[in-house]
Amino acid sequence: RRRQRAHEELVGNLKPGDYVLTVGGVYGTVNEIGEDDLGLEVSPDVEVRVAKRSVTSIVPPDQIEEIEVGEEPVEEQRG
């Protein structure tokens, strides 16, 4: 019961700009908050909708690592 209350408080305190982790292991920045869902930017110009209840934690700014994505796509090797 205490854990449920803590999770409800976490979800209730979400705001645009928060960097979060979902239960599915997806990291993203909150862009938009709806009634039961929110928009997460998971990559530049890529937004997904997730259920609010799927957010497990807010990542503190000092723990966010910048990951640079290469410009060139990786080609599959077939053999």
Side-chain angles (χ1 to χ4, degrees):
R1 185 83 184 136
R2 187 179 304 158
R3 232 184 316 206
Q4 183 180 0
R5 230 176 292 139
H7 186 259
E8 288 171 1
E9 185 177 330
L10 170 89
V11 170
N13 289 330
L14 287 173
K15 59 189 178 305
D18 284 343
Y19 192 69
V20 299
L21 172 64
T22 69
V23 71
V26 176
Y27 286 92
T29 302
V30 177
N31 281 343
E32 182 183 341
I33 300 176
E35 180 90 15
D36 296 318
D37 62 353
L38 40 92
L40 278 188
E41 185 176 43
V42 294
S43 187
D45 299 322
V46 178
E47 186 174 299
V48 295
R49 304 294 301 173
V50 298
K52 280 184 179 179
R53 66 180 176 270
S54 72
V55 174
T56 58
S57 62
I58 297 174
V59 180
D62 62 334
Q63 293 183 11
I64 299 172
E65 293 182 25
E66 286 297 322
I67 300 172
E68 292 187 28
V69 178
E71 292 290 319
E72 299 179 29
V74 176
E75 293 184 28
E76 283 186 31
Q77 291 186 352
R78 296 183 180 167

